[in-house]
Amino acid sequence: MKKLHVTCGIVTYNNADIIEKCIGTLLEYTKGCSIRIYVYDNHSSDGTAELIQKKFKQVRIIAKKSNKGFGYGHNRILQSLPQADYHIVVNPDIMVDTDVVTQMAEYMEANKNIGILIPKVLNTDGTEQFLPKYQPNFKYVIMSKFKHWKYYRDIYTRKNDQIKEPVKCENISGSFFMIRRSLVEELQGFDERYFMYFEDADLARRANQKTDLVYNPNVYVYHAWKRDNTGNIRGICIFLKSMLKYALKWKGF
């Protein structure tokens, strides 16, 4: 099999405390394919950009004096990339301890019907994060927040399905996924109207019109998850605005 070329995009904002481990483990464990990492820094004030420049000379960093959101940053990365077979979108709080990048690229290479592949995502203690695998709707996104309807969250994330083999899915998590370069170019990246939240669901919905999205539980990454929309007024407002934009674009849930 030919050596595959993978590019990696990370958008960061004040992540100096975690991004070193993210980049370090990706570079350490990715052996079977070539990887080039690009970081877009959304005007961090904690020295994130300087840390990356000092520690990782091989990483290209794009530092800006404004913060225009998750999708905007990733789209600027996509505009800067060289040719490659696959691209991965990675949160700065992701860590790996296997060559998951090569495993996913080779799996997609062997299954040409797959446009986007997502791995199992684990907490740092090894327990599973059941990230959304269905498209969002009112029950899953709103009603599941209330005590008596919390079971909708388990349905939303297919928590009780006990998935052991690769399956098609409707949704993706922006924390970590691999996409064919030809597909991401066809989709023209993320919809920049979302500052944060729902941009991954929107991308998945557009991709599902053209190709298969697959969840593969046989490969995994770790995610030190921090939900900005819980216990944070600003995060809640951003979440609700993005939800409204998603509902209006797709004519409701």
Side-chain angles (χ1 to χ4, degrees):
M1 181 181 290
K2 71 171 183 177
K3 189 165 187 176
L4 299 172
H5 298 279
V6 179
T7 53
C8 170
I10 304 172
V11 171
T12 180
Y13 175 70
N14 287 343
N15 295 125
D17 58 331
I18 54 175
I19 197 167
E20 183 177 352
K21 185 170 286 189
C22 173
I23 296 173
T25 58
L26 282 169
L27 292 174
E28 177 183 358
Y29 286 98
T30 303
K31 302 296 185 183
C33 66
S34 67
I35 185 171
R36 298 185 67 176
I37 299 176
Y38 291 71
V39 176
Y40 186 97
D41 184 73
N42 272 323
H43 196 40
S44 294
S45 58
D46 67 345
T48 298
E50 294 78 8
L51 171 70
I52 297 169
Q53 290 172 334
K54 179 180 178 180
K55 295 279 187 176
F56 304 104
K57 303 297 184 185
Q58 67 273 56
V59 173
R60 179 177 174 184
I61 184 162
I62 306 167
K64 295 296 181 180
K65 294 183 178 180
S66 62
N67 185 350
K68 296 185 178 180
F70 180 89
Y72 180 92
H74 276 290
N75 286 351
R76 301 290 84 71
I77 289 174
L78 291 169
Q79 292 172 359
S80 305
L81 295 178
Q83 288 300 311
D85 300 295
Y86 301 99
H87 179 68
I88 49 174
V89 170
V90 182
N91 269 13
D93 52 1
I94 289 287
M95 294 165 284
V96 305
D97 62 5
T98 65
D99 192 355
V100 63
V101 175
T102 300
Q103 293 168 2
M104 292 178 68
E106 289 182 347
Y107 187 83
M108 292 186 73
E109 195 71 5
N111 295 273
K112 299 294 187 180
N113 59 303
I114 300 175
I116 296 179
L117 185 66
I118 60 175
K120 179 186 289 187
V121 179
L122 303 176
N123 293 299
T124 53
D125 64 2
T127 57
E128 184 173 354
Q129 290 180 11
F130 296 95
L131 297 179
K133 299 184 180 73
Y134 287 124
Q135 276 294 330
N137 63 31
F138 184 78
K139 290 185 298 185
Y140 297 156
V141 175
I142 300 298
M143 292 177 65
S144 67
K145 304 293 185 185
F146 296 93
K147 181 179 179 180
H148 295 296
W149 292 303
K150 284 189 179 295
Y151 64 90
Y152 279 127
R153 177 71 187 180
D154 292 345
I155 299 172
Y156 184 25
T157 61
R158 301 177 65 174
K159 181 178 180 179
N160 299 321
D161 288 2
Q162 297 184 343
I163 300 170
K164 303 297 183 183
E165 298 297 332
V167 295
K168 291 182 182 179
C169 59
E170 296 179 1
N171 203 351
I172 58 176
S173 166
S175 60
F176 192 101
F177 67 87
M178 180 173 284
I179 184 169
R180 291 187 188 277
R181 279 295 300 276
S182 57
L183 177 61
V184 74
E185 290 167 4
E186 184 179 359
L187 296 174
Q188 298 182 329
F190 290 99
D191 186 334
E192 296 177 12
R193 286 176 289 184
Y194 306 99
F195 179 82
M196 187 168 60
Y197 306 119
F198 289 90
E199 67 287 301
D200 45 6
D202 179 271
L203 182 75
R205 193 157 182 167
R206 289 183 285 127
N208 259 316
Q209 297 172 344
K210 301 175 181 294
T211 186
D212 289 341
L213 278 61
V214 170
Y215 165 70
N216 185 352
N218 300 315
V219 290
Y220 65 90
V221 299
Y222 294 98
H223 185 201
W225 203 10
K226 296 178 181 178
R227 294 291 298 219
D228 291 335
N229 63 321
T230 55
N232 181 312
I233 296 299
R234 178 177 179 272
I236 291 172
C237 290
I238 293 172
F239 180 86
L240 293 174
K241 285 180 182 179
S242 293
M243 181 185 70
L244 179 61
K245 290 175 183 178
Y246 179 89
L248 289 172
K249 177 176 180 177
W250 295 102
K251 299 184 177 13
F253 281 149

